[in-house]
Amino acid sequence: DNRPPVRKHPSRNSVHEQGFRSTILFVTVCTEGRKPILAEKDMVNIILSTWANAQNWIVGRYVIMPDHIHFFCAPATYPTSDFHRWMKYWKRLAQQAFAVAARGDTRPHVGGRLSSTAENMEKLWQDDCWDTQIRTGVQYEEKWQYVRNNPVRKGLVENSDDWPYHGFVNDVPWHD
């Protein structure tokens, strides 16, 4: 059997920079227990705001599904900041914003910290993510077309353009 083994956990590969070629990662993040809670306007706003505030990497194209997110991202700094540390950071920011929204609490928090009650609320994200470094412009476009059509394959819309939870935050073009 020449098939590669099926991975049960993310590979934890490091990011490889190669000359002037784009450094772009394709990422999938799932909710804890695959709870279908993301595809609603308030949650999308929390995610987009979180990405804007987690500045070491920039998010390009994305599709937010009910229980997971696909997106492309690129380093915003040189040398490149640790990708997995950035992932933990924005997921924690989103968790905190989600907790505040769930409580309906609009008061500012001392020193930017939430109460222990908010921090201990139900877990929003799975611990890890799946990430793949894009190697070619063709691969980038193929992945985007696959992701863009995810809502159609799942039967959520008939046309991918009708899915309201997709777009791009930053222009992250491919270049060799």
Side-chain angles (χ1 to χ4, degrees):
D1 188 359
N2 290 341
R3 291 181 295 174
V6 175
R7 289 191 301 160
K8 293 183 182 180
H9 301 285
S11 64
R12 294 280 187 202
N13 292 330
S14 59
V15 175
H16 300 285
E17 295 177 351
Q18 294 184 333
F20 291 104
R21 184 190 312 177
S22 295
T23 301
I24 299 175
L25 299 184
F26 170 62
V27 182
T28 301
V29 180
C30 298
T31 59
E32 181 69 19
R34 298 296 296 249
K35 289 183 294 256
I37 58 173
L38 299 178
E40 59 179 65
K41 190 174 184 177
D42 290 341
M43 287 301 296
V44 171
N45 288 339
I46 285 172
I47 292 163
L48 295 176
S49 173
T50 299
W51 285 338
N53 290 317
Q55 299 174 353
N56 287 341
W57 284 72
I58 58 172
V59 174
R61 298 169 172 173
Y62 68 88
V63 174
I64 299 174
M65 298 292 289
D67 63 353
H68 66 282
I69 305 170
H70 296 292
F71 64 91
F72 295 89
C73 62
T77 61
Y78 184 83
T80 301
S81 297
D82 183 89
F83 168 75
H84 294 285
R85 182 174 288 149
W86 174 77
M87 284 295 300
K88 287 179 182 179
Y89 177 70
W90 79 255
K91 285 167 45 175
R92 182 171 42 90
L93 288 179
Q95 173 72 42
Q96 290 173 343
F98 175 70
V100 168
R103 275 200 334 254
D105 188 356
T106 57
R107 295 172 294 148
H109 299 281
V110 177
R113 300 274 308 156
L114 295 174
S115 70
S116 60
T117 303
E119 289 177 340
N120 294 324
M121 286 190 73
E122 189 173 349
K123 188 174 174 185
L124 179 59
W125 306 109
Q126 288 182 358
D127 288 335
D128 288 317
C129 67
W130 292 91
D131 59 278
T132 302
Q133 186 164 347
I134 300 298
R135 305 284 183 209
T136 67
V138 170
Q139 181 189 26
Y140 187 32
E141 278 308 310
E142 286 172 350
K143 288 278 190 200
W144 172 240
Q145 291 309 316
Y146 176 81
V147 166
R148 191 170 170 265
N149 286 305
N150 205 354
V152 175
R153 283 191 307 281
K154 296 291 184 182
L156 300 171
V157 291
E158 289 185 24
N159 182 321
S160 61
D161 290 332
D162 294 337
W163 184 246
Y165 309 117
H166 79 281
F168 73 95
V169 179
N170 297 284
D171 186 24
V172 180
W174 179 263
H175 57 84
D176 284 312

